[in-house]
Amino acid sequence: MPKILWIVLIAMLVLSACAPATLPPAPTAPEPTVAPANTIAPTVTPTAPPEPTATPAPTDTPVPTPTPAPLAVALDPALPDDLRAAFAAAGEAAPGAPALVVAGEGETGLATVGLTAGDSDGIALAERFYVAVVPFDTVQDDVSLEELKARWAGSGGGPLYVTADSAMLSAIFGEGKGAEVAAEELLATLQDDRTAIGLIPFDMLDPRYKVLTIDGANVLSNTLDPATYPLRVRVVLTGPQAEAVAPALAEVIAVVTNRDPAKLTTLIMTGVTAMARNTARVMEEEGVLYPALVISDALAAADITHISNEIPFLDDCKVNATKNNLVLCSNDRYWAALEAVGTDIVGLSGNHVNDFGRKGARRSLQFYRDNNIPIYGSGLNIEEACAPLMWEHNGNTFAFIAALAYWPEFAWATETEPGACYYYDNKEKIKAMVEKLADEVDIVAVELQYYETYNPYPTAEQVTEFREVRGWGADIVTGVQSHVPQAQEPYGATDPGGPGVISYGLGNFFFDQMWSWETRSELYLRHTIYDGRPISMEILTGVLENYAQPRWATPEERAKILTSIFDVAPNRP
C-alpha cells in the first residue's frame, strides 16, 4: 500500500474514535434538483438582484396641502383705528384657510372692507349701532335724523358731541363731524349744556344717560328691526374675490358688532297693584280685562314683566267698594288682567298679603303654585318668603328679592306661618344673600315695600337705606310702596358698584286712587340689560282713568310727571 494511503487511513480512524457515541447517522443526501424552502438554490451564473418593490403609503396618511397664498384686502379709510387694527391682526379663520393681509396705501386687494348706512350690495360682515344720548334727567324723548345731520354739519339747535370712535358715522352723515370729547368727559359736558346731544356706540351706554329715540326708532327695543334704525353702520365686503376672503374675517366680525339681540333683555318693573274696591267694581262692570286694554302691548313686549301684587287671590273674594275699606283681596278671575300685560314674575312684599288671615295667605300661595306663576317675597314661612327668585334670559342671569319694611306685624311671615319677608328681622340674612348673589349672577334686583308717603321726594331714611342695599351689591333697587311717582337715581360704570339704578317709588299700577293727580300718575320702568350689565332705564308714564284703567300720558302730562320726579332727586355724594 502506498505511504500516502496509510496516512489517510490512520487519520480517519483517529477522527472516528473522537466522535460522540450518540452521533446520528449521516443524513441521506438531498435530491440534487430540490432546494430547501427557505433557501435559494445556487446557480452556475450569478444574476442581478430583483428591483425592490415600493411599499404603498397607508390610506389614512394625510396628504400635505400647500398653504394658500395670503389674501390682500383693502380697507376703507373711514374705518376707525380700532377696527383697522383688528383687521390687520386677523389670523387664519381655520387650518388651511388663507391668512389675511391688509393691502398697503394705494394698493388694491382681492376685496374691500367698506362702510355703508344702507342695505347695499356686498357681503355683510357686521353692524355697529350708535345712540343719541342726553343726561338721564331730561324731558326730551326724541330727535330727528335731520336735526342730527344739521348738528354734524355745525348748525342745528345745539352742539353735537362725539367720542373718539365716531369715524364710522361719516357713512351716515358725510362730511363734517361733531365736537370730539373724551368718553369719560361726555356726561359732564352734556350736563353743562342742556342744548347738547351726544353720539356714542351702543355698548358704551350706562343708566346715567337717557337714550333718545330717532324719528321714533328705539335702539333699546327688543323688537327693533335693524334696517329701520337710522344710526346703524354696516361693514360690508365687496370685490371680485369677496366670497373667498370672507371666511378669513370671522375673527374680526365679533369685534365690530356691538349690539347682538341674543345678548339683550328688557325688564319692566311696576308699582302698587291691588285689584280691589272700586277697581274690582269697574272690572265687574266692564270685564276683567278692562285694566289692561290700553297699556298691555308695551308691557307684554318686555322679556320679563314684573308685578308687585299687594293682596291675596281668593276664588270666593267679593267686591267691597266701601270707602276706606282696608281689607283687600282679588278674585282669582282677575288674574286674567295681569296675564294680559304679560306678567312673568310677581313680587309679594305688600303689607296686605295676610288681609284674610294666614289661611287666606295659604290659599293665595296655592293659587300661584297651581298656575305655575313664579313668586317671591312671600311664602309659607320665613325661609320661603325671603328666598330669591332666580331667572335667566338671553344669557343674562337674575336674582329677584323682595321684602316688607313696614307694618302691620300680622303681615310678616314666621318660622311656621305664611306672610311677607319682614326686612328688619331678616336684614343680615338679606345682606349676606345679596353679597353672595352679586358674585354669582349678572343682576341682583331688590324691591322694598317701605314706609308709605304721598310725596315725590324720598325721605332721608329711605335714601340711606336704599343706598345701603345698593352698596351690598344690588344692581336694581326698587321701592314698591309709594302711591305716587318718586325720584330715580341712576349709576354709571365708573360709580361704586358699577352701573345700576335706585327707584324710590313707582306710584300705582292697577289701583283705585283717583282722588289726586299725583296718585293717578304712574311709572313703569323698562330696564335694558345687555351682555350681563344694565345699560339703560326708560321711564314709561301712565295716567289712571275710571278707577281701573291706566292710559299713556300725553306729551304735556308726561313732561309734568318727569319734571316732578327729576326736580326732587336726592343729592349725590
Side-chain angles (χ1 to χ4, degrees):
M1 177 179 297
K3 185 176 181 179
I4 186 63
L5 291 177
W6 280 110
I7 295 172
V8 171
L9 178 62
I10 292 170
M12 291 178 63
L13 289 173
V14 172
L15 291 174
S16 173
C18 294
T22 59
L23 185 70
T28 304
E31 292 291 331
T33 59
V34 179
N38 60 346
T39 63
I40 300 175
T43 57
V44 176
T45 304
T47 60
E51 292 291 332
T53 302
T55 303
T59 57
D60 58 351
T61 301
V63 178
T65 302
T67 302
L71 299 174
V73 178
L75 302 182
D76 189 312
L79 283 174
D81 291 341
D82 63 329
L83 297 186
R84 297 179 68 84
F87 282 111
E92 293 185 350
L100 177 71
V101 175
V102 176
E105 185 176 352
E107 298 178 358
T108 59
L110 300 175
T112 299
V113 178
L115 303 175
T116 178
D119 294 324
S120 63
D121 294 335
I123 298 175
L125 297 178
E127 299 173 316
R128 181 165 283 194
F129 290 78
Y130 287 82
V131 186
V133 295
V134 289
F136 172 79
D137 56 345
T138 300
V139 173
Q140 179 184 354
D141 294 317
D142 186 76
V143 65
S144 69
L145 181 61
E146 290 305 312
E147 171 64 18
L148 293 177
K149 287 181 176 179
R151 291 179 179 230
W152 180 269
S155 58
L160 181 68
Y161 291 100
V162 298
T163 53
D165 51 5
S166 61
M168 293 177 72
L169 287 169
S170 62
I172 300 172
F173 297 122
E175 294 297 323
K177 188 176 182 181
E180 186 174 315
V181 297
E184 62 272 17
E185 298 174 2
L186 177 61
L187 181 62
T189 302
L190 297 176
Q191 289 172 330
D192 288 342
D193 184 352
R194 289 304 182 122
T195 69
I197 294 175
L199 295 180
I200 61 174
F202 177 83
D203 53 336
M204 278 182 57
L205 278 173
D206 72 42
R208 297 172 302 172
Y209 291 108
K210 178 175 183 174
V211 174
L212 298 180
T213 58
I214 302 173
D215 293 324
N218 186 356
V219 72
L220 299 172
S221 172
N222 59 346
T223 61
L224 176 71
D225 177 0
T228 66
Y229 186 66
L231 296 189
R232 177 188 64 143
V233 180
R234 299 171 70 241
V235 181
V236 296
L237 190 64
T238 58
Q241 298 297 318
E243 291 188 3
V245 173
L249 302 179
E251 297 176 5
V252 186
I253 292 174
V255 178
V256 181
T257 299
N258 70 342
R259 184 191 182 276
D260 181 353
K263 298 179 180 180
L264 187 145
T265 298
T266 55
L267 161 68
I268 283 186
M269 302 286 292
T270 62
V272 177
T273 301
M275 295 177 290
R277 288 189 316 219
N278 282 302
T279 301
R281 174 184 60 79
V282 173
M283 292 174 73
E284 293 294 337
E285 295 170 356
E286 303 290 342
V288 296
L289 295 180
Y290 179 76
L293 292 180
V294 177
I295 63 171
S296 60
D297 288 351
L299 271 64
D303 298 309
I304 309 172
T305 301
H306 155 276
I307 298 293
S308 176
N309 188 40
E310 297 235 335
I311 63 179
F313 274 106
L314 301 172
D315 59 3
D316 56 355
C317 179
K318 305 297 182 183
V319 176
N320 181 356
T322 304
K323 186 178 181 180
N324 297 326
N325 169 36
L326 294 178
V327 181
L328 308 177
C329 66
S330 286
N331 192 281
D332 288 0
R333 295 181 295 111
Y334 297 174
W335 172 257
L338 299 183
E339 188 175 45
V341 298
T343 301
D344 296 294
I345 59 176
V346 180
L348 298 175
S349 59
N351 60 340
H352 289 275
V353 293
N354 285 355
D355 274 11
F356 280 75
R358 307 283 185 177
K359 183 179 292 186
R362 290 190 185 92
R363 290 171 58 198
S364 183
L365 291 169
Q366 191 61 46
F367 165 81
Y368 289 110
R369 286 175 168 79
D370 289 345
N371 290 278
N372 297 314
I373 302 167
I375 59 173
Y376 58 103
S378 278
L380 294 175
N381 50 54
I382 288 177
E383 183 178 359
E384 281 192 7
C386 297
L389 173 66
M390 311 304 290
W391 206 262
E392 188 276 342
H393 178 267
N394 274 356
N396 299 309
T397 54
F398 298 80
F400 294 94
I401 301 168
L404 172 59
Y406 195 52
W407 296 83
E409 187 173 351
F410 69 74
W412 306 342
T414 71
E415 295 291 343
T416 58
E417 296 291 336
C421 174
Y422 182 53
Y423 179 65
Y424 295 108
D425 282 354
N426 298 281
K427 185 174 180 178
E428 290 305 312
K429 178 193 297 185
I430 294 171
K431 177 178 183 288
M433 188 188 312
V434 171
E435 290 175 339
K436 179 175 183 293
L437 290 169
D439 293 330
E440 298 176 354
V441 300
D442 298 317
I443 305 297
V444 178
V446 179
E447 63 204 69
L448 293 179
Q449 180 87 194
Y450 203 72
Y451 176 76
E452 295 181 5
T453 69
Y454 286 84
N455 298 309
Y457 53 85
T459 66
E461 294 80 6
Q462 185 180 3
V463 173
T464 298
E465 297 209 74
F466 279 44
R467 287 179 177 174
E468 181 179 48
V469 174
R470 165 149 173 88
W472 298 340
D475 302 280
I476 300 173
V477 183
T478 308
V480 291
Q481 77 293 327
S482 175
H483 293 285
V484 301
Q486 288 191 303
Q488 313 296 308
E489 189 171 286
Y491 290 81
T494 58
D495 288 319
V501 67
I502 294 175
S503 172
Y504 289 102
L506 301 175
N508 293 320
F509 183 49
F510 291 162
F511 203 40
D512 67 350
Q513 291 183 332
M514 287 283 294
W515 45 266
S516 74
W517 167 255
E518 288 75 18
T519 57
R520 292 178 60 205
S521 303
E522 304 186 356
L523 306 183
Y524 327 120
L525 300 186
R526 183 162 57 198
H527 301 277
T528 299
I529 315 300
Y530 184 75
D531 198 18
R533 66 183 182 90
I535 62 171
S536 180
M537 179 183 70
E538 300 169 88
I539 301 176
L540 311 182
T541 50
V543 178
L544 179 66
E545 296 286 3
N546 195 23
Y547 297 96
Q549 187 183 80
R551 61 166 173 79
W552 298 115
T554 67
E556 294 76 19
E557 291 169 337
R558 175 172 170 77
K560 181 179 179 180
I561 295 170
L562 293 181
T563 300
S564 71
I565 64 173
F566 292 157
D567 285 349
V568 296
N571 292 327
R572 291 284 297 277

